[in-house]
Amino acid sequence: YPAPERGVTIADDAGEPVGFDEIGEVVVRSRYLAEGYWRQPELTRLAFEVDPSGDGMCRFHTGDLGSMSRDGCLRIHGRKDSQVKLHGYRVEVQEIEAILLSLDGIEQAAVAVFSETDSQRLVAFVVLQAGHDLAEDSIHNYLRERLASFMVPGKVVILPTLPLTANGKVDRLALRARAKRSAFPATEEPANPLEWEICKIWSEVLRRPVGRSDKFLELGGDSLSGSRILAGIAQQLGVRVTFKDLLERPTVAALAEWLGNVVNVTQVEVDKDR
């Protein structure tokens, strides 16, 4: 039960309270919280916030899953980082981590959730065994062969070591901050009208800026967004592209080059300001 001068809220992914006995993130509300993480402003921003009530209270997002009974008893259901909901599916990140660790050459693996605007995606962090040199693409292909498409992380980041908490556990909050800071590079401007048109289609579907070298899966692409992109290409360019074609040519530049060679797409008028 909550201690005096402290309240506990169970919140959904949007930060709104859930009903009794429903599972959500445990959020502690008090005016006696720490000010944040020492010299880690990004972690502080992710976990701490001023309560919108304006009464001097602050809130701390614990990262724990819990539910609240009608008599105010809090029940804990594990870590939020280990169980996420993506595109309507419940995903256990330990299952993805186990697949990563089954690949020869990977010493350690951790999967974190990266949130951007109104979407969430998975980012995998791996530490390689000494003497092994695995490429990110080969790790991606290994995962795609063994996992459903919605479970494949959009980005694989190779690190020398995984960040750890004071008690030696993987610091998943630090991984979330690192994903937001460095997992997705700046976009590269399209080189020709066909690339401009494909970038525009991808941007409208994925709801983010897209450059010619960005990869479909790294941008958070999945089977649903892929089908929308294919429909957009068919409507705007008048050509039929399969999902297999998209996966085999994962960048805008590669897809545009292939389209220009195998189909009659020679005149593309595009408004770059759209």
Side-chain angles (χ1 to χ4, degrees):
Y1 292 88
E5 302 292 340
R6 286 171 175 80
V8 171
T9 300
I10 309 299
D12 60 18
D13 291 337
E16 298 297 324
V18 302
F20 291 115
D21 297 319
E22 293 185 23
I23 296 177
E25 183 178 12
V26 178
V27 180
V28 178
R29 180 177 182 271
S30 175
R31 57 173 47 88
Y32 304 111
L33 296 176
E35 294 183 0
Y37 291 94
W38 175 249
R39 293 181 177 177
Q40 298 186 73
E42 184 64 22
L43 297 186
T44 298
R45 192 197 64 77
L46 287 171
F48 291 85
E49 64 179 351
V50 176
D51 192 85
S53 63
D55 58 0
M57 303 286 276
C58 292
R59 293 195 292 190
F60 173 64
H61 294 258
T62 66
D64 292 320
L65 291 174
S67 62
M68 187 76 71
S69 64
R70 291 186 178 275
D71 67 350
C73 182
L74 171 67
R75 298 182 177 90
I76 300 299
H77 299 276
R79 289 290 298 171
K80 179 181 179 182
D81 305 286
S82 66
Q83 188 182 87
V84 297
K85 193 172 184 180
L86 294 170
H87 313 297
Y89 298 96
R90 183 64 64 181
V91 177
E92 294 282 353
V93 298
Q94 289 97 336
E95 183 178 351
I96 304 172
E97 292 168 353
I99 297 295
L100 284 166
L101 291 172
S102 70
L103 175 59
D104 185 35
I106 292 183
E107 178 72 26
Q108 295 176 291
V111 176
V113 181
F114 172 79
S115 298
E116 186 178 48
T117 61
D118 59 350
S119 64
Q120 287 186 311
R121 65 195 63 171
L122 299 172
V123 180
F125 297 89
V126 299
V127 176
L128 301 182
Q129 296 173 355
H132 285 76
D133 184 20
L134 289 174
E136 294 177 11
D137 286 345
S138 64
I139 299 174
H140 253 138
N141 292 335
Y142 185 83
L143 292 174
R144 282 197 290 268
E145 292 172 356
R146 291 162 175 80
L147 294 170
S149 60
F150 64 87
M151 296 179 66
V152 178
K155 180 71 175 178
V156 175
V157 180
I158 298 175
L159 299 176
T161 59
L162 293 180
L164 302 177
T165 63
N167 58 8
K169 295 182 179 180
V170 175
D171 191 338
R172 296 184 182 274
L173 191 59
L175 288 179
R176 285 167 55 193
R178 186 183 181 101
K180 184 168 185 177
R181 183 174 67 250
S182 63
F184 300 94
T187 60
E188 181 182 356
E189 189 169 287
N192 56 58
L194 181 54
E195 290 186 5
W196 274 103
E197 184 65 20
I198 296 175
C199 279
K200 180 175 73 69
I201 295 170
W202 284 30
S203 295
E204 291 174 350
V205 173
L206 299 173
R207 299 182 180 180
R208 59 164 293 147
V210 175
R212 67 186 307 269
S213 299
D214 291 340
K215 295 182 178 180
F216 172 69
L217 291 177
E218 291 185 6
L219 295 174
D222 53 25
S223 57
L224 179 59
S225 58
S227 65
R228 292 173 177 169
I229 287 174
L230 301 182
I233 292 175
Q235 180 180 3
Q236 299 298 324
L237 302 178
V239 294
R240 182 179 180 275
V241 179
T242 67
F243 192 66
K244 181 174 181 289
D245 295 330
L246 181 61
L247 292 180
E248 291 178 348
R249 299 155 188 89
T251 67
V252 168
L255 184 60
E257 181 181 7
W258 176 73
L259 283 174
N261 289 331
V262 302
V263 297
N264 186 23
V265 183
T266 57
Q267 298 295 324
V268 179
E269 297 293 336
V270 58
D271 180 0
K272 295 181 183 180
D273 295 328
R274 282 191 299 169

mmCIF file of all heavy atoms in Angstrom, residues 238-269:
data_model
loop_
_atom_site.group_PDB
_atom_site.id
_atom_site.type_symbol
_atom_site.label_atom_id
_atom_site.label_comp_id
_atom_site.label_asym_id
_atom_site.label_seq_id
_atom_site.Cartn_x
_atom_site.Cartn_y
_atom_site.Cartn_z
ATOM 1 N N GLY A 238 2.328 3.739 -60.467
ATOM 2 C CA GLY A 238 1.676 2.823 -61.403
ATOM 3 C C GLY A 238 2.404 1.513 -61.597
ATOM 4 O O GLY A 238 2.284 0.884 -62.654
ATOM 5 N N VAL A 239 3.179 1.068 -60.589
ATOM 6 C CA VAL A 239 3.899 -0.198 -60.697
ATOM 7 C C VAL A 239 3.598 -1.059 -59.479
ATOM 8 O O VAL A 239 3.295 -0.556 -58.394
ATOM 9 C CB VAL A 239 5.425 0.026 -60.806
ATOM 10 C CG1 VAL A 239 5.759 0.733 -62.103
ATOM 11 C CG2 VAL A 239 5.947 0.806 -59.616
ATOM 12 N N ARG A 240 3.685 -2.366 -59.672
ATOM 13 C CA ARG A 240 3.425 -3.309 -58.588
ATOM 14 C C ARG A 240 4.741 -3.801 -58.018
ATOM 15 O O ARG A 240 5.586 -4.339 -58.733
ATOM 16 C CB ARG A 240 2.595 -4.488 -59.095
ATOM 17 C CG ARG A 240 2.243 -5.501 -57.999
ATOM 18 C CD ARG A 240 1.389 -6.640 -58.550
ATOM 19 N NE ARG A 240 1.060 -7.608 -57.523
ATOM 20 C CZ ARG A 240 1.844 -8.629 -57.165
ATOM 21 N NH1 ARG A 240 3.012 -8.805 -57.786
ATOM 22 N NH2 ARG A 240 1.475 -9.468 -56.212
ATOM 23 N N VAL A 241 4.917 -3.600 -56.709
ATOM 24 C CA VAL A 241 6.107 -4.053 -55.995
ATOM 25 C C VAL A 241 5.652 -4.982 -54.879
ATOM 26 O O VAL A 241 4.658 -4.704 -54.195
ATOM 27 C CB VAL A 241 6.890 -2.856 -55.404
ATOM 28 C CG1 VAL A 241 8.113 -3.335 -54.637
ATOM 29 C CG2 VAL A 241 7.305 -1.899 -56.514
ATOM 30 N N THR A 242 6.353 -6.083 -54.681
ATOM 31 C CA THR A 242 5.995 -7.025 -53.627
ATOM 32 C C THR A 242 6.750 -6.704 -52.340
ATOM 33 O O THR A 242 7.744 -5.968 -52.348
ATOM 34 C CB THR A 242 6.312 -8.470 -54.042
ATOM 35 O OG1 THR A 242 7.743 -8.622 -54.138
ATOM 36 C CG2 THR A 242 5.682 -8.795 -55.384
ATOM 37 N N PHE A 243 6.268 -7.267 -51.234
ATOM 38 C CA PHE A 243 6.942 -7.059 -49.956
ATOM 39 C C PHE A 243 8.342 -7.663 -49.990
ATOM 40 O O PHE A 243 9.278 -7.124 -49.391
ATOM 41 C CB PHE A 243 6.113 -7.679 -48.829
ATOM 42 C CG PHE A 243 6.568 -7.278 -47.452
ATOM 43 C CD1 PHE A 243 6.464 -5.953 -47.016
ATOM 44 C CD2 PHE A 243 7.110 -8.206 -46.581
ATOM 45 C CE1 PHE A 243 6.890 -5.577 -45.751
ATOM 46 C CE2 PHE A 243 7.531 -7.840 -45.309
ATOM 47 C CZ PHE A 243 7.417 -6.515 -44.898
ATOM 48 N N LYS A 244 8.515 -8.760 -50.718
ATOM 49 C CA LYS A 244 9.841 -9.376 -50.875
ATOM 50 C C LYS A 244 10.785 -8.418 -51.596
ATOM 51 O O LYS A 244 11.956 -8.298 -51.235
ATOM 52 C CB LYS A 244 9.710 -10.692 -51.649
ATOM 53 C CG LYS A 244 11.020 -11.452 -51.857
ATOM 54 C CD LYS A 244 10.742 -12.800 -52.492
ATOM 55 C CE LYS A 244 12.039 -13.593 -52.697
ATOM 56 N NZ LYS A 244 12.879 -13.019 -53.763
ATOM 57 N N ASP A 245 10.271 -7.736 -52.632
ATOM 58 C CA ASP A 245 11.084 -6.741 -53.331
ATOM 59 C C ASP A 245 11.551 -5.652 -52.371
ATOM 60 O O ASP A 245 12.707 -5.212 -52.423
ATOM 61 C CB ASP A 245 10.281 -6.096 -54.467
ATOM 62 C CG ASP A 245 9.908 -7.086 -55.561
ATOM 63 O OD1 ASP A 245 10.670 -8.047 -55.771
ATOM 64 O OD2 ASP A 245 8.849 -6.898 -56.190
ATOM 65 N N LEU A 246 10.662 -5.228 -51.500
ATOM 66 C CA LEU A 246 10.985 -4.163 -50.552
ATOM 67 C C LEU A 246 12.059 -4.611 -49.561
ATOM 68 O O LEU A 246 12.994 -3.862 -49.256
ATOM 69 C CB LEU A 246 9.718 -3.740 -49.809
ATOM 70 C CG LEU A 246 9.834 -2.605 -48.788
ATOM 71 C CD1 LEU A 246 10.293 -1.316 -49.458
ATOM 72 C CD2 LEU A 246 8.495 -2.379 -48.088
ATOM 73 N N LEU A 247 11.954 -5.835 -49.057
ATOM 74 C CA LEU A 247 12.935 -6.331 -48.092
ATOM 75 C C LEU A 247 14.293 -6.555 -48.748
ATOM 76 O O LEU A 247 15.335 -6.353 -48.110
ATOM 77 C CB LEU A 247 12.440 -7.632 -47.457
ATOM 78 C CG LEU A 247 11.222 -7.532 -46.539
ATOM 79 C CD1 LEU A 247 10.856 -8.901 -45.997
ATOM 80 C CD2 LEU A 247 11.461 -6.551 -45.398
ATOM 81 N N GLU A 248 14.304 -6.974 -50.006
ATOM 82 C CA GLU A 248 15.569 -7.221 -50.694
ATOM 83 C C GLU A 248 16.266 -5.931 -51.092
ATOM 84 O O GLU A 248 17.473 -5.923 -51.327
ATOM 85 C CB GLU A 248 15.325 -8.094 -51.930
ATOM 86 C CG GLU A 248 14.933 -9.525 -51.594
ATOM 87 C CD GLU A 248 14.661 -10.360 -52.839
ATOM 88 O OE1 GLU A 248 14.559 -9.747 -53.940
ATOM 89 O OE2 GLU A 248 14.554 -11.587 -52.721
ATOM 90 N N ARG A 249 15.519 -4.826 -51.166
ATOM 91 C CA ARG A 249 16.080 -3.509 -51.492
ATOM 92 C C ARG A 249 15.637 -2.554 -50.397
ATOM 93 O O ARG A 249 14.727 -1.738 -50.600
ATOM 94 C CB ARG A 249 15.600 -3.066 -52.867
ATOM 95 C CG ARG A 249 16.060 -4.032 -53.969
ATOM 96 C CD ARG A 249 15.155 -4.009 -55.188
ATOM 97 N NE ARG A 249 15.539 -5.057 -56.100
ATOM 98 C CZ ARG A 249 15.047 -6.310 -56.052
ATOM 99 N NH1 ARG A 249 14.173 -6.631 -55.109
ATOM 100 N NH2 ARG A 249 15.449 -7.219 -56.914
ATOM 101 N N PRO A 250 16.249 -2.637 -49.219
ATOM 102 C CA PRO A 250 15.699 -1.994 -48.022
ATOM 103 C C PRO A 250 15.862 -0.475 -47.960
ATOM 104 O O PRO A 250 15.265 0.160 -47.105
ATOM 105 C CB PRO A 250 16.478 -2.664 -46.885
ATOM 106 C CG PRO A 250 17.784 -3.044 -47.507
ATOM 107 C CD PRO A 250 17.459 -3.424 -48.917
ATOM 108 N N THR A 251 16.680 0.120 -48.838
ATOM 109 C CA THR A 251 16.835 1.572 -48.816
ATOM 110 C C THR A 251 16.073 2.199 -49.972
ATOM 111 O O THR A 251 15.790 1.541 -50.985
ATOM 112 C CB THR A 251 18.311 1.984 -48.925
ATOM 113 O OG1 THR A 251 18.815 1.639 -50.222
ATOM 114 C CG2 THR A 251 19.141 1.302 -47.842
ATOM 115 N N VAL A 252 15.763 3.485 -49.832
ATOM 116 C CA VAL A 252 15.102 4.217 -50.911
ATOM 117 C C VAL A 252 15.957 4.196 -52.168
ATOM 118 O O VAL A 252 15.459 3.989 -53.286
ATOM 119 C CB VAL A 252 14.820 5.664 -50.473
ATOM 120 C CG1 VAL A 252 14.398 6.527 -51.659
ATOM 121 C CG2 VAL A 252 13.753 5.705 -49.386
ATOM 122 N N ALA A 253 17.271 4.394 -52.009
ATOM 123 C CA ALA A 253 18.169 4.438 -53.159
ATOM 124 C C ALA A 253 18.176 3.115 -53.909
ATOM 125 O O ALA A 253 18.106 3.079 -55.156
ATOM 126 C CB ALA A 253 19.586 4.791 -52.700
ATOM 127 N N ALA A 254 18.253 1.996 -53.159
ATOM 128 C CA ALA A 254 18.278 0.683 -53.808
ATOM 129 C C ALA A 254 16.955 0.383 -54.510
ATOM 130 O O ALA A 254 16.937 -0.154 -55.619
ATOM 131 C CB ALA A 254 18.592 -0.398 -52.775
ATOM 132 N N LEU A 255 15.844 0.737 -53.862
ATOM 133 C CA LEU A 255 14.536 0.484 -54.461
ATOM 134 C C LEU A 255 14.342 1.335 -55.713
ATOM 135 O O LEU A 255 13.835 0.855 -56.733
ATOM 136 C CB LEU A 255 13.441 0.774 -53.442
ATOM 137 C CG LEU A 255 11.999 0.470 -53.873
ATOM 138 C CD1 LEU A 255 11.842 -1.010 -54.212
ATOM 139 C CD2 LEU A 255 11.019 0.864 -52.773
ATOM 140 N N ALA A 256 14.761 2.601 -55.654
ATOM 141 C CA ALA A 256 14.615 3.490 -56.806
ATOM 142 C C ALA A 256 15.470 3.031 -57.978
ATOM 143 O O ALA A 256 15.029 3.054 -59.137
ATOM 144 C CB ALA A 256 14.987 4.914 -56.408
ATOM 145 N N GLU A 257 16.687 2.583 -57.689
ATOM 146 C CA GLU A 257 17.564 2.094 -58.759
ATOM 147 C C GLU A 257 16.965 0.866 -59.432
ATOM 148 O O GLU A 257 16.970 0.734 -60.655
ATOM 149 C CB GLU A 257 18.949 1.773 -58.196
ATOM 150 C CG GLU A 257 19.934 1.277 -59.245
ATOM 151 C CD GLU A 257 21.290 0.946 -58.657
ATOM 152 O OE1 GLU A 257 21.420 0.968 -57.413
ATOM 153 O OE2 GLU A 257 22.217 0.659 -59.430
ATOM 154 N N TRP A 258 16.423 -0.035 -58.626
ATOM 155 C CA TRP A 258 15.818 -1.252 -59.181
ATOM 156 C C TRP A 258 14.580 -0.919 -60.004
ATOM 157 O O TRP A 258 14.397 -1.447 -61.098
ATOM 158 C CB TRP A 258 15.456 -2.194 -58.035
ATOM 159 C CG TRP A 258 14.744 -3.445 -58.467
ATOM 160 C CD1 TRP A 258 15.275 -4.519 -59.114
ATOM 161 C CD2 TRP A 258 13.348 -3.723 -58.285
ATOM 162 N NE1 TRP A 258 14.309 -5.465 -59.329
ATOM 163 C CE2 TRP A 258 13.116 -5.002 -58.837
ATOM 164 C CE3 TRP A 258 12.301 -3.031 -57.707
ATOM 165 C CZ2 TRP A 258 11.856 -5.591 -58.831
ATOM 166 C CZ3 TRP A 258 11.054 -3.614 -57.691
ATOM 167 C CH2 TRP A 258 10.832 -4.879 -58.244
ATOM 168 N N LEU A 259 13.738 -0.019 -59.490
ATOM 169 C CA LEU A 259 12.540 0.367 -60.233
ATOM 170 C C LEU A 259 12.914 1.007 -61.563
ATOM 171 O O LEU A 259 12.278 0.747 -62.594
ATOM 172 C CB LEU A 259 11.698 1.346 -59.414
ATOM 173 C CG LEU A 259 10.869 0.756 -58.272
ATOM 174 C CD1 LEU A 259 10.217 1.858 -57.460
ATOM 175 C CD2 LEU A 259 9.805 -0.179 -58.826
ATOM 176 N N GLY A 260 13.939 1.837 -61.563
ATOM 177 C CA GLY A 260 14.352 2.496 -62.794
ATOM 178 C C GLY A 260 14.899 1.532 -63.822
ATOM 179 O O GLY A 260 14.836 1.798 -65.034
ATOM 180 N N ASN A 261 15.414 0.373 -63.376
ATOM 181 C CA ASN A 261 16.013 -0.593 -64.299
ATOM 182 C C ASN A 261 15.029 -1.624 -64.823
ATOM 183 O O ASN A 261 15.161 -2.094 -65.961
ATOM 184 C CB ASN A 261 17.174 -1.326 -63.612
ATOM 185 C CG ASN A 261 18.370 -0.422 -63.402
ATOM 186 O OD1 ASN A 261 18.587 0.515 -64.159
ATOM 187 N ND2 ASN A 261 19.149 -0.700 -62.360
ATOM 188 N N VAL A 262 14.046 -2.003 -63.987
ATOM 189 C CA VAL A 262 13.198 -3.132 -64.384
ATOM 190 C C VAL A 262 11.797 -2.724 -64.834
ATOM 191 O O VAL A 262 11.084 -3.530 -65.420
ATOM 192 C CB VAL A 262 13.071 -4.156 -63.235
ATOM 193 C CG1 VAL A 262 14.437 -4.658 -62.814
ATOM 194 C CG2 VAL A 262 12.338 -3.552 -62.046
ATOM 195 N N VAL A 263 11.389 -1.512 -64.512
ATOM 196 C CA VAL A 263 10.073 -1.058 -64.958
ATOM 197 C C VAL A 263 10.216 0.292 -65.630
ATOM 198 O O VAL A 263 11.229 0.984 -65.486
ATOM 199 C CB VAL A 263 9.071 -0.953 -63.783
ATOM 200 C CG1 VAL A 263 8.831 -2.303 -63.160
ATOM 201 C CG2 VAL A 263 9.555 0.031 -62.740
ATOM 202 N N ASN A 264 9.204 0.672 -66.351
ATOM 203 C CA ASN A 264 9.242 1.916 -67.110
ATOM 204 C C ASN A 264 8.845 3.096 -66.227
ATOM 205 O O ASN A 264 7.740 3.610 -66.308
ATOM 206 C CB ASN A 264 8.327 1.823 -68.337
ATOM 207 C CG ASN A 264 8.458 3.041 -69.225
ATOM 208 O OD1 ASN A 264 9.474 3.731 -69.190
ATOM 209 N ND2 ASN A 264 7.441 3.295 -70.027
ATOM 210 N N VAL A 265 9.762 3.495 -65.336
ATOM 211 C CA VAL A 265 9.530 4.664 -64.499
ATOM 212 C C VAL A 265 10.617 5.677 -64.865
ATOM 213 O O VAL A 265 11.672 5.745 -64.252
ATOM 214 C CB VAL A 265 9.600 4.321 -63.004
ATOM 215 C CG1 VAL A 265 9.276 5.539 -62.158
ATOM 216 C CG2 VAL A 265 8.642 3.197 -62.676
ATOM 217 N N THR A 266 10.378 6.448 -65.890
ATOM 218 C CA THR A 266 11.380 7.379 -66.387
ATOM 219 C C THR A 266 10.999 8.827 -66.173
ATOM 220 O O THR A 266 11.860 9.695 -66.073
ATOM 221 C CB THR A 266 11.630 7.141 -67.886
ATOM 222 O OG1 THR A 266 10.379 7.274 -68.585
ATOM 223 C CG2 THR A 266 12.193 5.746 -68.127
ATOM 224 N N GLN A 267 9.707 9.102 -66.086
ATOM 225 C CA GLN A 267 9.260 10.474 -65.896
ATOM 226 C C GLN A 267 8.481 10.568 -64.589
ATOM 227 O O GLN A 267 7.362 10.082 -64.499
ATOM 228 C CB GLN A 267 8.366 10.925 -67.069
ATOM 229 C CG GLN A 267 9.061 10.919 -68.418
ATOM 230 C CD GLN A 267 10.186 11.947 -68.479
ATOM 231 O OE1 GLN A 267 10.066 13.020 -67.900
ATOM 232 N NE2 GLN A 267 11.253 11.609 -69.169
ATOM 233 N N VAL A 268 9.090 11.142 -63.586
ATOM 234 C CA VAL A 268 8.431 11.280 -62.296
ATOM 235 C C VAL A 268 8.433 12.747 -61.918
ATOM 236 O O VAL A 268 9.491 13.356 -61.743
ATOM 237 C CB VAL A 268 9.148 10.453 -61.196
ATOM 238 C CG1 VAL A 268 8.452 10.649 -59.862
ATOM 239 C CG2 VAL A 268 9.185 8.993 -61.584
ATOM 240 N N GLU A 269 7.242 13.319 -61.811
ATOM 241 C CA GLU A 269 7.120 14.702 -61.376
ATOM 242 C C GLU A 269 6.783 14.714 -59.895
ATOM 243 O O GLU A 269 5.838 14.056 -59.459
ATOM 244 C CB GLU A 269 5.994 15.415 -62.156
ATOM 245 C CG GLU A 269 6.275 15.495 -63.664
ATOM 246 C CD GLU A 269 7.455 16.404 -63.980
ATOM 247 O OE1 GLU A 269 7.741 17.284 -63.145
ATOM 248 O OE2 GLU A 269 8.078 16.205 -65.038
#
